[in-house]
């Protein structure tokens, strides 16, 4: 088994959706790298589970429902001069954005999202001013090299 270290992972973002939601479409975009990322949350689909309770069987039937592409949270050191963070700042309420995530092994994952939040956390006297971002994925992630 090959393990992947999070160190060296980078995230890039650009306003708008690609012409096509495949590797070629995402690869044609020009992204801004987001700096000072401290934490990246999990990404991946979540299947909603529906249920039905029959009074005759007395056992709950379960079935797969809608697939939610999920959300991704980011924790950043706030940097007003960072071009990628400026995209987050301008993104609130401004439609779809495209994201390129490259892990330390070179695996690239693309997705479109809505930027749900970009907030500032001042913390305490010993804290770095941080930003918290929530990305609501609009499609299932597309992986490629």
């Amino acid at each position: 088994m090959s393990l992947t270290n999070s160190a060296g992972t980078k995230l890039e973002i650009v306003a708008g959706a690609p012409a096509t939601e495949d590797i070629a479409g995402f690869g044609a975009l020009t992204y801004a790298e987001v700096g000072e990322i401290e934490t990246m949350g999990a990404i991946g689909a979540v299947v909603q589970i529906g249920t039905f309770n029959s009074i005759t069987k007395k056992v709950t039937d379960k079935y797969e429902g809608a697939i939610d592409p999920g959300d991704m949270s980011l924790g950043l050191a706030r940097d007003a001069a960072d071009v990628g963070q400026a995209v987050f700042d301008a993104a609130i309420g401004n439609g779809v954005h495209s994201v390129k995530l490259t892990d330390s092994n070179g695996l690239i994952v693309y997705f479109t999202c809505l930027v749900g939040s970009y907030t500032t956390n001042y913390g305490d006297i010993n804290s770095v001013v941080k930003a918290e971002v929530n990305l609501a994925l609009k499609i299932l992630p597309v992986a490629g090299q």
Side-chain angles (χ1 to χ4, degrees), residues 4 11-12 19-20 33 47 49 76 89 91 94 108 116 118 135:
T4 302
L11 186 130
E12 300 168 89
T20 57
E33 186 172 350
V47 176
I49 305 297
L76 315 167
D89 201 23
N94 286 316
I108 298 172
Y118 179 61
L135 305 177

Side-chain angles (χ1 to χ4, degrees), residues 56-133:
T56 56
K57 290 198 298 186
K58 297 194 295 187
V59 174
T60 299
D61 287 321
K62 295 184 180 178
Y63 56 91
E64 292 181 356
I67 298 174
D68 183 336
D71 296 322
M72 179 184 208
S73 60
L74 301 171
L76 315 167
R78 182 89 185 221
D79 182 353
D82 184 83
V83 176
Q85 289 192 33
V87 175
F88 287 141
D89 201 23
I92 304 297
N94 286 316
V96 175
H97 284 65
S98 297
V99 172
K100 176 182 179 182
L101 188 151
T102 307
D103 76 15
S104 61
N105 283 344
L107 175 68
I108 298 172
V109 178
Y110 297 106
F111 57 88
T112 56
C113 67
L114 299 173
V115 178
S117 65
Y118 179 61
T119 59
T120 302
N121 183 344
Y122 289 96
D124 63 21
I125 193 168
N126 295 312
S127 297
V128 169
V129 175
K130 295 184 179 181
E132 297 168 359
V133 179

